[in-house]
Amino acid sequence: MRNKIIKISIYILICIFAVVLGMFFYFNGNYMLMSAEIALICCVAFFVHYEKSDTSSLELVHLCSIIALSIALRCMFSAVPFFKPVTAIVIISGLYFGKEFAFLAGAMSALLSNFIFSQGLWTPFQMIAWGMCGFLAAAISGVLKKNRLLLCLYSAFAGLLYSLIVDINTVLWIDKFFSLKRYIAICVTSAPFTLTYAISNVIFVLILGKPLEKTFQRLKKKYG
């Protein structure tokens, strides 16, 4: 418990250091880079924890396979705006492989697929957004696996969560600092797109849920 508190304190101090560093170097009020740095630091915390955990090479193969599937399907649906299967895949992986696994699947799907769709300061926000969608799904996996309706409701909520996190980047990109009024305005104006994304999550979970569930259960039974 003591070691855990020390680790958390270190991560908090690193985030504070990033803020202080930004106050000295971003005199023009452009806090976008600083925010991206903090988001990236939060992701690194999960990466380090997963790296130090007892992870088998087989589990890494499963992780890479899920990330590859997410990237391939994101490319496949790239022509359809706000209709992407990545969140659904990350959610389903969280139900069967745990919190850290799901966070990494979401974060790395965003990072690696953006080598195709273009990298930018929005990438860390997408990494956190997709990572948290998987992490939270894993945290309440016992409930979601038993109730298909709750799984659909969570999938819709994950679409909202993703949009709320990524819209922070939009505000910083426009104003170079965070404005609550601008944030609320962007959330309201992007509501139709957020709704489309939420609905697409439900559709992909219903379509991919059973096939991936059988695959994941078979893998866990076969390889442990």
Side-chain angles (χ1 to χ4, degrees):
M1 183 66 181
R2 184 181 177 183
N3 290 335
K4 187 174 183 181
I5 293 174
I6 292 174
K7 289 178 182 179
I8 293 173
S9 300
I10 291 173
Y11 290 134
I12 293 174
L13 289 174
I14 292 173
C15 290
I16 293 174
F17 176 76
V19 173
V20 174
L21 193 67
M23 292 172 63
F24 283 99
F25 285 93
Y26 307 142
F27 293 110
N28 60 351
N30 186 351
Y31 298 103
M32 188 174 181
L33 181 59
M34 180 176 65
S35 301
E37 289 173 357
I38 294 173
L40 192 59
I41 289 169
C42 294
C43 292
V44 169
F46 281 92
F47 297 161
V48 172
H49 183 272
Y50 191 79
E51 173 67 22
K52 291 185 177 181
S53 63
D54 186 16
T55 306
S56 67
S57 58
L58 187 61
E59 187 175 352
L60 292 177
V61 172
H62 293 163
L63 177 61
C64 293
S65 299
I66 291 172
I67 293 171
L69 177 63
S70 298
I71 296 172
L73 290 179
R74 187 183 181 190
C75 293
M76 186 181 299
F77 287 89
S78 60
V80 187
F82 305 100
F83 199 85
K84 303 293 183 288
V86 179
T87 305
I89 295 174
V90 171
I91 289 173
I92 298 169
S93 68
L95 300 184
Y96 298 96
F97 290 104
K99 298 187 286 292
E100 286 83 7
F101 185 102
F103 185 92
L104 280 176
M108 294 306 295
S109 293
L111 176 63
L112 296 178
S113 63
N114 277 358
F115 281 103
I116 300 173
F117 294 99
S118 75
Q119 298 284 358
L121 294 178
W122 55 84
T123 298
F125 291 91
Q126 290 179 321
M127 291 172 68
I128 281 227
W130 269 325
M132 288 308 300
C133 287
F135 183 89
L136 293 176
I140 55 174
S141 59
V143 177
L144 297 181
K145 284 193 285 188
K146 295 177 181 178
N147 193 311
R148 183 72 57 175
L149 176 60
L150 288 179
L151 178 58
C152 291
L153 290 176
Y154 176 78
S155 300
F157 166 76
L160 174 63
L161 176 64
Y162 176 87
S163 297
L164 290 176
I165 294 175
V166 174
D167 282 343
I168 295 174
N169 169 74
T170 306
V171 174
L172 295 171
W173 180 73
I174 294 174
D175 291 333
K176 310 307 179 185
F177 64 92
F178 184 79
S179 167
L180 182 60
K181 290 184 178 179
R182 175 81 70 178
Y183 179 69
I184 294 173
I186 289 175
C187 290
V188 171
T189 54
S190 63
F193 306 108
T194 302
L195 180 61
T196 301
Y197 189 56
I199 293 173
S200 74
N201 288 343
V202 176
I203 293 174
F204 281 117
V205 162
L206 291 175
I207 294 175
L208 300 174
K210 283 296 182 181
L212 290 181
E213 176 185 346
K214 292 179 180 179
T215 301
F216 293 162
Q217 286 181 338
R218 181 175 60 83
L219 289 173
K220 293 190 73 174
K221 183 178 180 180
K222 185 174 181 180
Y223 299 107

